[in-house]
Amino acid sequence: MKYVTGTRTVNPQTTVVICQGEMDSLAVEELHQAVDPLLADATSHLIFDFAKVDYLSSSVLSFLLAAQSKAKEKSGKVSLVGASELVKQSFEMAALDSLFEFHGTLEDAGVVVTPPASAKGKERAEKKGKGTAATKGDGSSSPVIEKVVVQRQEEKPPAREKVTPISERRAREERLVEKIQPLAEPKSWRDYGVWIGIGVAVMVSVVVSLYLYLVQP
């Protein structure tokens, strides 16, 4: 498996090294072949793209630490881009996370990636082809006709209201009133206590009056 898939020179001082896979001790040799010529040249800022890297061994960490030392001798540095949480944990366990700069993307690292000249030429050709396709042979532009399909929805007839007979409506209202009004509770003799007392008092007064009338000479 190839661990270093390529390099990209951003400027004479900055180069991106693209890596992939589970980088163990076998990957160190490829790193040396790709990085040593760069550090021997004018490159002082190395950016390792670890977006597709799943694992880093201790030997790879030692190589990165040595590359960091060589870059600092040239007033440069080593940056890491796109490292996953598992890869970051490898640096934290080795207490090396504070010695490197971690970035999410190349843009975060201050690197502006421009497309190659071939891609630019292809894009321009496509734009030119679209421009010529919109014009006729005599140079006049052809109108663009847009077809709009209008879908008409059938109007539904309004729903008819259900007519309830008057007799049925009255019966419903009477049943509703019966449900609302509470049933009358049967009254006991206590409810008539006042009237009983009044009647007793009247009878006593009548009896007393008769007695007084009969006793007097």
Side-chain angles (χ1 to χ4, degrees), residues 7-38:
T7 59
R8 180 184 298 171
T9 301
V10 180
N11 52 56
Q13 291 78 30
T14 305
T15 301
V16 180
V17 181
I18 306 172
C19 306
Q20 68 175 0
E22 297 181 356
M23 302 185 70
D24 51 15
S25 58
L26 298 177
V28 176
E29 182 178 356
E30 291 187 20
L31 289 171
H32 275 293
Q33 294 176 357
V35 173
D36 289 348
L38 298 174

mmCIF file of all heavy atoms in Angstrom, residues 7-38:
data_model
loop_
_atom_site.group_PDB
_atom_site.id
_atom_site.type_symbol
_atom_site.label_atom_id
_atom_site.label_comp_id
_atom_site.label_asym_id
_atom_site.label_seq_id
_atom_site.Cartn_x
_atom_site.Cartn_y
_atom_site.Cartn_z
ATOM 1 N N THR A 7 2.629 15.053 -3.386
ATOM 2 C CA THR A 7 2.953 16.338 -2.758
ATOM 3 C C THR A 7 2.436 17.467 -3.649
ATOM 4 O O THR A 7 2.282 17.294 -4.857
ATOM 5 C CB THR A 7 4.471 16.495 -2.552
ATOM 6 O OG1 THR A 7 5.133 16.400 -3.828
ATOM 7 C CG2 THR A 7 5.010 15.434 -1.611
ATOM 8 N N ARG A 8 2.161 18.593 -3.037
ATOM 9 C CA ARG A 8 1.655 19.755 -3.768
ATOM 10 C C ARG A 8 2.413 20.994 -3.295
ATOM 11 O O ARG A 8 2.373 21.333 -2.112
ATOM 12 C CB ARG A 8 0.160 19.935 -3.530
ATOM 13 C CG ARG A 8 -0.443 21.131 -4.269
ATOM 14 C CD ARG A 8 -1.903 21.293 -3.898
ATOM 15 N NE ARG A 8 -2.678 20.118 -4.292
ATOM 16 C CZ ARG A 8 -3.950 19.916 -3.942
ATOM 17 N NH1 ARG A 8 -4.571 20.808 -3.194
ATOM 18 N NH2 ARG A 8 -4.582 18.833 -4.343
ATOM 19 N N THR A 9 3.089 21.633 -4.202
ATOM 20 C CA THR A 9 3.858 22.829 -3.868
ATOM 21 C C THR A 9 2.968 24.049 -3.995
ATOM 22 O O THR A 9 2.480 24.369 -5.078
ATOM 23 C CB THR A 9 5.080 22.969 -4.789
ATOM 24 O OG1 THR A 9 5.901 21.805 -4.647
ATOM 25 C CG2 THR A 9 5.894 24.193 -4.419
ATOM 26 N N VAL A 10 2.741 24.718 -2.859
ATOM 27 C CA VAL A 10 1.910 25.914 -2.838
ATOM 28 C C VAL A 10 2.733 27.126 -3.245
ATOM 29 O O VAL A 10 2.308 27.954 -4.047
ATOM 30 C CB VAL A 10 1.282 26.113 -1.452
ATOM 31 C CG1 VAL A 10 0.408 27.370 -1.417
ATOM 32 C CG2 VAL A 10 0.467 24.885 -1.061
ATOM 33 N N ASN A 11 3.921 27.240 -2.673
ATOM 34 C CA ASN A 11 4.879 28.294 -3.011
ATOM 35 C C ASN A 11 6.263 27.741 -2.702
ATOM 36 O O ASN A 11 6.389 26.636 -2.163
ATOM 37 C CB ASN A 11 4.580 29.586 -2.237
ATOM 38 C CG ASN A 11 4.461 29.360 -0.740
ATOM 39 O OD1 ASN A 11 5.385 28.830 -0.113
ATOM 40 N ND2 ASN A 11 3.335 29.741 -0.161
ATOM 41 N N PRO A 12 7.325 28.455 -3.022
ATOM 42 C CA PRO A 12 8.665 27.907 -2.793
ATOM 43 C C PRO A 12 8.941 27.501 -1.354
ATOM 44 O O PRO A 12 9.814 26.658 -1.110
ATOM 45 C CB PRO A 12 9.591 29.053 -3.229
ATOM 46 C CG PRO A 12 8.794 29.813 -4.234
ATOM 47 C CD PRO A 12 7.371 29.730 -3.764
ATOM 48 N N GLN A 13 8.237 28.065 -0.395
ATOM 49 C CA GLN A 13 8.480 27.751 1.010
ATOM 50 C C GLN A 13 7.467 26.764 1.591
ATOM 51 O O GLN A 13 7.702 26.206 2.674
ATOM 52 C CB GLN A 13 8.453 29.028 1.881
ATOM 53 C CG GLN A 13 9.614 29.971 1.658
ATOM 54 C CD GLN A 13 9.464 30.799 0.398
ATOM 55 O OE1 GLN A 13 8.334 31.099 -0.020
ATOM 56 N NE2 GLN A 13 10.576 31.150 -0.219
ATOM 57 N N THR A 14 6.350 26.526 0.922
ATOM 58 C CA THR A 14 5.266 25.711 1.489
ATOM 59 C C THR A 14 4.943 24.554 0.558
ATOM 60 O O THR A 14 4.746 24.752 -0.634
ATOM 61 C CB THR A 14 3.999 26.559 1.704
ATOM 62 O OG1 THR A 14 4.331 27.696 2.503
ATOM 63 C CG2 THR A 14 2.921 25.744 2.396
ATOM 64 N N THR A 15 4.884 23.338 1.130
ATOM 65 C CA THR A 15 4.558 22.131 0.371
ATOM 66 C C THR A 15 3.608 21.279 1.194
ATOM 67 O O THR A 15 3.781 21.121 2.414
ATOM 68 C CB THR A 15 5.818 21.322 0.038
ATOM 69 O OG1 THR A 15 6.707 22.142 -0.729
ATOM 70 C CG2 THR A 15 5.470 20.078 -0.761
ATOM 71 N N VAL A 16 2.607 20.729 0.531
ATOM 72 C CA VAL A 16 1.625 19.852 1.174
ATOM 73 C C VAL A 16 1.976 18.412 0.842
ATOM 74 O O VAL A 16 2.152 18.056 -0.319
ATOM 75 C CB VAL A 16 0.199 20.171 0.699
ATOM 76 C CG1 VAL A 16 -0.814 19.244 1.375
ATOM 77 C CG2 VAL A 16 -0.146 21.634 0.985
ATOM 78 N N VAL A 17 2.069 17.569 1.893
ATOM 79 C CA VAL A 17 2.355 16.142 1.727
ATOM 80 C C VAL A 17 1.057 15.394 2.024
ATOM 81 O O VAL A 17 0.544 15.446 3.145
ATOM 82 C CB VAL A 17 3.479 15.680 2.667
ATOM 83 C CG1 VAL A 17 3.764 14.194 2.448
ATOM 84 C CG2 VAL A 17 4.738 16.504 2.440
ATOM 85 N N ILE A 18 0.523 14.680 1.039
ATOM 86 C CA ILE A 18 -0.771 14.005 1.164
ATOM 87 C C ILE A 18 -0.529 12.549 1.546
ATOM 88 O O ILE A 18 0.205 11.825 0.858
ATOM 89 C CB ILE A 18 -1.566 14.094 -0.141
ATOM 90 C CG1 ILE A 18 -1.699 15.561 -0.570
ATOM 91 C CG2 ILE A 18 -2.941 13.456 0.012
ATOM 92 C CD1 ILE A 18 -2.295 15.746 -1.946
ATOM 93 N N CYS A 19 -1.156 12.111 2.654
ATOM 94 C CA CYS A 19 -0.958 10.754 3.166
ATOM 95 C C CYS A 19 -2.296 10.036 3.285
ATOM 96 O O CYS A 19 -3.359 10.649 3.226
ATOM 97 C CB CYS A 19 -0.267 10.795 4.531
ATOM 98 S SG CYS A 19 1.293 11.727 4.544
ATOM 99 N N GLN A 20 -2.219 8.706 3.497
ATOM 100 C CA GLN A 20 -3.431 7.913 3.629
ATOM 101 C C GLN A 20 -3.140 6.609 4.365
ATOM 102 O O GLN A 20 -1.984 6.208 4.523
ATOM 103 C CB GLN A 20 -4.009 7.582 2.248
ATOM 104 C CG GLN A 20 -3.147 6.637 1.437
ATOM 105 C CD GLN A 20 -3.789 6.216 0.123
ATOM 106 O OE1 GLN A 20 -4.907 6.636 -0.192
ATOM 107 N NE2 GLN A 20 -3.100 5.387 -0.655
ATOM 108 N N GLY A 21 -4.225 5.962 4.826
ATOM 109 C CA GLY A 21 -4.125 4.634 5.403
ATOM 110 C C GLY A 21 -3.645 4.606 6.844
ATOM 111 O O GLY A 21 -3.565 5.620 7.531
ATOM 112 N N GLU A 22 -3.331 3.384 7.308
ATOM 113 C CA GLU A 22 -2.794 3.169 8.648
ATOM 114 C C GLU A 22 -1.273 3.242 8.561
ATOM 115 O O GLU A 22 -0.604 2.283 8.170
ATOM 116 C CB GLU A 22 -3.256 1.827 9.202
ATOM 117 C CG GLU A 22 -4.772 1.727 9.366
ATOM 118 C CD GLU A 22 -5.201 0.396 9.940
ATOM 119 O OE1 GLU A 22 -4.319 -0.482 10.144
ATOM 120 O OE2 GLU A 22 -6.404 0.212 10.194
ATOM 121 N N MET A 23 -0.733 4.361 8.948
ATOM 122 C CA MET A 23 0.697 4.626 8.759
ATOM 123 C C MET A 23 1.484 4.038 9.931
ATOM 124 O O MET A 23 1.506 4.570 11.032
ATOM 125 C CB MET A 23 0.930 6.129 8.643
ATOM 126 C CG MET A 23 0.159 6.778 7.497
ATOM 127 S SD MET A 23 0.540 8.516 7.247
ATOM 128 C CE MET A 23 2.215 8.392 6.595
ATOM 129 N N ASP A 24 2.155 2.920 9.641
ATOM 130 C CA ASP A 24 2.995 2.270 10.644
ATOM 131 C C ASP A 24 4.455 2.473 10.295
ATOM 132 O O ASP A 24 4.810 3.425 9.584
ATOM 133 C CB ASP A 24 2.637 0.784 10.746
ATOM 134 C CG ASP A 24 2.621 0.115 9.371
ATOM 135 O OD1 ASP A 24 3.150 0.718 8.405
ATOM 136 O OD2 ASP A 24 2.082 -0.990 9.240
ATOM 137 N N SER A 25 5.307 1.609 10.785
ATOM 138 C CA SER A 25 6.749 1.754 10.544
ATOM 139 C C SER A 25 7.100 1.653 9.064
ATOM 140 O O SER A 25 8.101 2.229 8.615
ATOM 141 C CB SER A 25 7.522 0.704 11.340
ATOM 142 O OG SER A 25 7.080 -0.608 10.989
ATOM 143 N N LEU A 26 6.285 0.942 8.263
ATOM 144 C CA LEU A 26 6.570 0.824 6.826
ATOM 145 C C LEU A 26 6.371 2.149 6.104
ATOM 146 O O LEU A 26 6.924 2.349 5.017
ATOM 147 C CB LEU A 26 5.676 -0.250 6.202
ATOM 148 C CG LEU A 26 5.845 -1.680 6.742
ATOM 149 C CD1 LEU A 26 4.845 -2.610 6.081
ATOM 150 C CD2 LEU A 26 7.269 -2.168 6.505
ATOM 151 N N ALA A 27 5.590 3.051 6.680
ATOM 152 C CA ALA A 27 5.337 4.335 6.039
ATOM 153 C C ALA A 27 6.488 5.325 6.224
ATOM 154 O O ALA A 27 6.557 6.332 5.506
ATOM 155 C CB ALA A 27 4.049 4.945 6.593
ATOM 156 N N VAL A 28 7.380 5.049 7.166
ATOM 157 C CA VAL A 28 8.466 6.005 7.455
ATOM 158 C C VAL A 28 9.396 6.145 6.254
ATOM 159 O O VAL A 28 9.858 7.250 5.931
ATOM 160 C CB VAL A 28 9.242 5.553 8.705
ATOM 161 C CG1 VAL A 28 10.430 6.476 8.964
ATOM 162 C CG2 VAL A 28 8.319 5.530 9.920
ATOM 163 N N GLU A 29 9.654 5.027 5.567
ATOM 164 C CA GLU A 29 10.547 5.087 4.420
ATOM 165 C C GLU A 29 9.969 5.980 3.321
ATOM 166 O O GLU A 29 10.691 6.806 2.723
ATOM 167 C CB GLU A 29 10.791 3.672 3.887
ATOM 168 C CG GLU A 29 11.773 3.629 2.710
ATOM 169 C CD GLU A 29 12.029 2.211 2.237
ATOM 170 O OE1 GLU A 29 11.511 1.267 2.874
ATOM 171 O OE2 GLU A 29 12.734 2.051 1.219
ATOM 172 N N GLU A 30 8.662 5.862 3.054
ATOM 173 C CA GLU A 30 8.042 6.717 2.048
ATOM 174 C C GLU A 30 8.062 8.182 2.479
ATOM 175 O O GLU A 30 8.240 9.082 1.654
ATOM 176 C CB GLU A 30 6.598 6.272 1.798
ATOM 177 C CG GLU A 30 6.476 4.935 1.090
ATOM 178 C CD GLU A 30 5.035 4.624 0.704
ATOM 179 O OE1 GLU A 30 4.228 5.582 0.644
ATOM 180 O OE2 GLU A 30 4.718 3.450 0.462
ATOM 181 N N LEU A 31 7.887 8.430 3.766
ATOM 182 C CA LEU A 31 7.939 9.808 4.262
ATOM 183 C C LEU A 31 9.324 10.411 4.054
ATOM 184 O O LEU A 31 9.459 11.575 3.675
ATOM 185 C CB LEU A 31 7.542 9.848 5.738
ATOM 186 C CG LEU A 31 6.058 9.587 6.048
ATOM 187 C CD1 LEU A 31 5.848 9.431 7.538
ATOM 188 C CD2 LEU A 31 5.194 10.721 5.500
ATOM 189 N N HIS A 32 10.350 9.620 4.298
ATOM 190 C CA HIS A 32 11.722 10.105 4.084
ATOM 191 C C HIS A 32 11.931 10.450 2.604
ATOM 192 O O HIS A 32 12.528 11.500 2.278
ATOM 193 C CB HIS A 32 12.738 9.057 4.535
ATOM 194 C CG HIS A 32 13.042 9.128 5.999
ATOM 195 N ND1 HIS A 32 13.701 10.187 6.578
ATOM 196 C CD2 HIS A 32 12.785 8.240 7.008
ATOM 197 C CE1 HIS A 32 13.834 9.971 7.869
ATOM 198 N NE2 HIS A 32 13.293 8.781 8.167
ATOM 199 N N GLN A 33 11.461 9.566 1.718
ATOM 200 C CA GLN A 33 11.665 9.813 0.293
ATOM 201 C C GLN A 33 10.939 11.072 -0.184
ATOM 202 O O GLN A 33 11.428 11.762 -1.082
ATOM 203 C CB GLN A 33 11.171 8.598 -0.513
ATOM 204 C CG GLN A 33 11.973 7.327 -0.279
ATOM 205 C CD GLN A 33 11.414 6.132 -1.018
ATOM 206 O OE1 GLN A 33 10.373 6.225 -1.685
ATOM 207 N NE2 GLN A 33 12.095 4.990 -0.910
ATOM 208 N N ALA A 34 9.804 11.383 0.430
ATOM 209 C CA ALA A 34 9.039 12.543 -0.010
ATOM 210 C C ALA A 34 9.474 13.834 0.679
ATOM 211 O O ALA A 34 9.463 14.911 0.054
ATOM 212 C CB ALA A 34 7.545 12.316 0.251
ATOM 213 N N VAL A 35 9.883 13.757 1.954
ATOM 214 C CA VAL A 35 10.108 14.969 2.751
ATOM 215 C C VAL A 35 11.567 15.402 2.742
ATOM 216 O O VAL A 35 11.863 16.611 2.707
ATOM 217 C CB VAL A 35 9.610 14.737 4.191
ATOM 218 C CG1 VAL A 35 9.972 15.906 5.086
ATOM 219 C CG2 VAL A 35 8.103 14.526 4.184
ATOM 220 N N ASP A 36 12.491 14.471 2.777
ATOM 221 C CA ASP A 36 13.912 14.838 2.876
ATOM 222 C C ASP A 36 14.363 15.749 1.742
ATOM 223 O O ASP A 36 15.046 16.763 1.988
ATOM 224 C CB ASP A 36 14.785 13.572 2.919
ATOM 225 C CG ASP A 36 14.633 12.831 4.243
ATOM 226 O OD1 ASP A 36 14.038 13.418 5.176
ATOM 227 O OD2 ASP A 36 15.094 11.683 4.343
ATOM 228 N N PRO A 37 13.987 15.480 0.471
ATOM 229 C CA PRO A 37 14.389 16.416 -0.594
ATOM 230 C C PRO A 37 13.772 17.805 -0.416
ATOM 231 O O PRO A 37 14.391 18.815 -0.779
ATOM 232 C CB PRO A 37 13.875 15.743 -1.875
ATOM 233 C CG PRO A 37 13.762 14.303 -1.539
ATOM 234 C CD PRO A 37 13.356 14.266 -0.116
ATOM 235 N N LEU A 38 12.576 17.868 0.155
ATOM 236 C CA LEU A 38 11.928 19.166 0.352
ATOM 237 C C LEU A 38 12.665 19.997 1.405
ATOM 238 O O LEU A 38 12.892 21.200 1.235
ATOM 239 C CB LEU A 38 10.464 18.964 0.773
ATOM 240 C CG LEU A 38 9.575 18.252 -0.249
ATOM 241 C CD1 LEU A 38 8.192 17.994 0.344
ATOM 242 C CD2 LEU A 38 9.450 19.088 -1.522
#
